[in-house]
Amino acid sequence: SNSENIIKQPIFVPVMAAMITVGFLLAFGVTEGNDDFDFPFYELGTIPAWRDLSSLRGTQAPKDFDKETYHRQLKDLDIAHLYESISNLMTDSKAFWPADGPQDGDVASYAGLFERLAWHCAGTLRVVNGTATGGCEGARQRHWPENEWRDNTNLDKARGLLGQVKQQFGSQISWSDLITFAGTVAIKASGGPAKKFCFGRIDDVDGKRSIPLGVEGVKECRGNKFCKSNFECPVAFRWPEQDPSDHARCNLTQPNHRLQASHSVGLIYVFPEGPQLNSSAQGYVAKQVHNRSPKLSALEVRDTFHERMGWTDRETVALIGGGHTLGRTHGNCNLTGTKWASHPYNEVGPYFEAQTGSLRGPTDGTCGVGASAGLAENTVSSGFEGPWARTPSKWNYDFFDAMLEEEWEPVKSPFGADQWRTKNRQSTYASTMRLTADLSLINDETYAAIVKEYAADHSKFDSDFADAWYKLVHRSQDNPDENDLARKFGVCTLFEFV
């Protein structure tokens, strides 16, 4: 959400610097996991754990990011050109990782993917007792442990796509600025609201500062004892009405004074499918395909967003609504009976691939056939399936409108994930889906009032979302106030060129 740069280039001409970087990566075998080189610049966006181990263990000191030079040269950044490069890439669907949209009757666009990338990178921010940790500054999503979190599945592809822009601009733009700006451009270029963006974030040389946020996968540590997983949380809880076989939720306070802000190591916030009700709980309906509770899910949303991460209820509703407008979820493949059934490849980072070096799902007919096997409409990321809106490539207000207008019924995705669809199968929103965590917003009195306000006043939603998004992508451990970057460096845009 989530993270990159193994080496820091001197401030050469941007293209030359990028060419040198790519040459270094190829020469030293950083392309492992992408043997056929079908994905240009992929390696710029994902650094496997084994490459960082000497830095993490302190046996080798990598060259630090040259922040003084970066902040000085930011004054000359052509922001309009950067915006244009990202917006052009956003609608330029690549065969090696096709853009969403066509499978839902819309134009091809990476907007939802880039927005999710920025959100997951910035969403690691947690504010506990007034102290901020995490955030996208540092771009540690490129590195272990964040690049092996299951919630960041296939975001390696998003970073790989942005590698084209990183190659173009080289040292003129840090990865943390690029990721957060790309998410903002995705919203703006799709017709959504963006008021302001400020630059100045610097990149970390490894993922050390994300280790306290939780370690899930250790695959690319290659057995090194330095890597220790925190999954599952030793200190966890279940709701009284929750099925005892359902996932336990992580408490905030964990052993060794570690604070776990999300409800599972490897997730950014909550379990999207929500808590499963015990068969004796009020509201349990035996004939339903699942009994996930939107009401209990609302308690989880508030616990993570507000109590652990410092968001107001209004900001929470705005962020979830705006975050679930563009793009879609991916779970259009049933792995039952396959070798991936017990250990789904979409949960194993940093490459999230069915076969080593493929950077995609199965190509044996399990998930589609031909050129789109394991890709495009056959992609598996979260396991949920479908868009939230009828026009997932264009900014819209379906998220709130449909949630209030429709009755939603439990259903399973082809992958087997618990989600919801419109009970009226002839509804204009019949092609859309909702997560239990989405429906939690209309099963909580305070959240529901805000949902109704936004459904009635789209301009108010746009304004509130733009403010919350700005706060999301501008706060970090290094710059905990949303105006720190503007105050310190003053390189900002109001998108007046758009």
Side-chain angles (χ1 to χ4, degrees):
S1 288
N2 228 193
S3 278
E4 198 188 295
N5 266 6
I6 299 173
I7 59 171
K8 303 302 168 199
Q9 310 98 320
I11 311 303
F12 298 158
V13 176
V15 173
M16 181 62 71
M19 289 173 63
I20 291 172
T21 304
V22 173
F24 175 93
L25 293 166
L26 295 176
F28 286 86
V30 187
T31 55
E32 184 169 350
N34 187 15
D35 300 333
D36 53 14
F37 295 95
D38 283 343
F39 204 135
F41 312 116
Y42 173 89
E43 293 80 11
L44 296 178
T46 297
I47 313 302
W50 61 270
R51 291 208 61 86
D52 279 340
L53 281 173
S54 59
S55 170
L56 291 169
R57 299 172 67 189
T59 57
Q60 178 181 333
K63 185 178 179 182
D64 286 335
F65 190 93
D66 188 347
K67 57 184 177 182
E68 287 79 14
T69 301
Y70 180 65
H71 289 144
R72 185 170 61 250
Q73 71 178 13
L74 263 182
K75 307 290 184 184
D76 299 321
L77 177 65
D78 188 338
I79 299 174
H81 185 204
L82 179 63
Y83 180 100
E84 181 183 30
S85 297
I86 295 170
S87 60
N88 287 343
L89 171 65
M90 190 180 83
T91 55
D92 182 16
S93 185
K94 308 291 188 183
F96 48 81
W97 193 261
D100 289 327
Q103 68 267 55
D104 298 309
D106 207 344
V107 298
S109 175
Y110 294 114
L113 182 63
F114 289 169
E115 183 185 14
R116 174 175 166 241
L117 174 69
W119 192 1
H120 282 219
C121 185
T124 61
L125 180 81
R126 343 27 264 254
V127 182
V128 179
N129 298 325
T131 300
T133 56
C136 196
E137 180 158 17
R140 292 181 298 277
Q141 192 194 86
R142 294 173 303 143
H143 297 272
W144 179 86
E146 286 188 43
N147 67 13
E148 293 200 35
W149 288 356
R150 69 189 185 280
D151 222 0
N152 289 333
T153 177
N154 288 328
L155 290 181
D156 58 311
K157 319 306 189 297
R159 298 189 302 270
L161 288 162
L162 284 178
Q164 173 180 314
V165 180
K166 187 70 172 80
Q167 186 268 354
Q168 179 184 359
F169 284 82
S171 56
Q172 286 185 311
I173 188 75
S174 69
W175 269 101
S176 13
D177 274 345
L178 177 59
I179 289 171
T180 47
F181 189 59
T184 306
V185 172
I187 295 164
K188 184 73 173 176
S190 300
K195 297 178 181 178
K196 182 180 179 180
F197 185 90
C198 297
F199 297 84
R201 301 161 189 80
I202 63 172
D203 294 340
D204 286 9
V205 295
D206 56 36
K208 182 179 297 183
R209 292 199 295 169
S210 291
I211 292 176
L213 305 183
V215 175
E216 184 179 21
V218 295
K219 177 177 177 288
E220 287 301 315
C221 290
R222 299 181 173 180
N224 192 289
K225 290 185 172 63
F226 175 86
C227 303
K228 295 179 175 62
S229 177
N230 304 122
F231 186 85
E232 305 238 351
C233 286
V235 184
F237 72 96
R238 289 182 179 85
W239 304 100
E241 306 97 321
Q242 190 179 355
D243 189 320
S245 66
D246 195 19
H247 295 292
R249 273 55 177 164
C250 295
N251 284 57
L252 173 63
T253 304
Q254 296 295 319
N256 300 318
H257 307 289
R258 195 180 73 80
L259 299 177
Q260 177 62 38
S262 60
H263 277 170
S264 172
V265 174
L267 295 181
I268 304 298
Y269 297 107
V270 299
F271 285 93
E273 67 271 29
Q276 173 77 2
L277 286 176
N278 192 312
S279 59
S280 62
Q282 184 178 3
Y284 182 90
V285 181
K287 65 180 180 180
Q288 289 183 172
V289 296
H290 69 74
N291 275 271
R292 300 289 175 177
S293 171
K295 188 173 181 180
L296 289 181
S297 184
L299 300 179
E300 300 190 337
V301 169
R302 184 169 285 108
D303 182 42
T304 53
F305 276 80
H306 179 64
E307 299 297 334
R308 305 188 188 192
M309 298 185 181
W311 295 102
T312 67
D313 286 345
R314 179 171 291 273
E315 290 168 335
T316 299
V317 175
L319 282 174
I320 293 175
H324 291 173
T325 291
L326 299 173
R328 72 189 324 274
T329 57
H330 301 84
N332 192 27
C333 184
N334 185 355
L335 299 181
T336 303
T338 71
K339 61 183 178 182
W340 303 285
S342 58
H343 299 286
Y345 61 88
N346 58 302
E347 295 184 359
V348 182
Y351 306 118
F352 305 100
E353 58 191 1
Q355 288 96 22
T356 300
S358 68
L359 296 178
R360 66 198 293 178
T363 55
D364 63 355
T366 300
C367 300
V369 296
S372 64
L375 297 171
E377 70 273 15
N378 300 304
T379 299
V380 176
S381 292
S382 64
F384 304 107
E385 171 61 22
W388 290 275
R390 295 166 296 176
T391 58
S393 300
K394 181 181 178 182
W395 192 257
N396 62 81
Y397 307 97
D398 282 3
F399 182 81
F400 297 117
D401 295 351
M403 209 139 64
L404 294 173
E405 293 175 22
E406 299 294 329
E407 186 177 351
W408 298 84
E409 65 179 5
V411 68
K412 285 186 178 289
S413 72
F415 181 79
D418 294 339
Q419 58 186 62
W420 303 74
R421 70 177 185 181
T422 60
K423 191 169 185 177
N424 176 7
R425 301 313 297 145
Q426 279 68 53
S427 163
T428 184
Y429 300 110
S431 63
T432 68
M433 57 78 70
R434 290 293 180 274
L435 304 171
T436 307
D438 296 328
L439 295 179
S440 76
L441 301 182
I442 57 173
N443 283 271
D444 173 274
E445 185 177 351
T446 304
Y447 289 154
I450 301 168
V451 169
K452 291 172 184 176
E453 180 184 349
Y454 288 159
D457 189 345
H458 294 162
S459 295
K460 176 61 175 171
F461 164 64
D462 281 350
S463 181
D464 284 358
F465 173 74
D467 290 340
W469 180 264
Y470 179 86
K471 188 174 179 180
L472 172 71
V473 298
H474 285 80
R475 294 192 303 165
S476 68
Q477 181 174 340
D478 297 320
N479 291 290
D481 186 274
E482 62 192 277
N483 296 311
D484 281 346
L485 293 173
R487 184 169 53 250
K488 290 180 181 179
F489 312 117
V491 181
C492 303
T493 179
L494 301 177
F495 300 100
E496 60 279 356
F497 53 81
V498 177

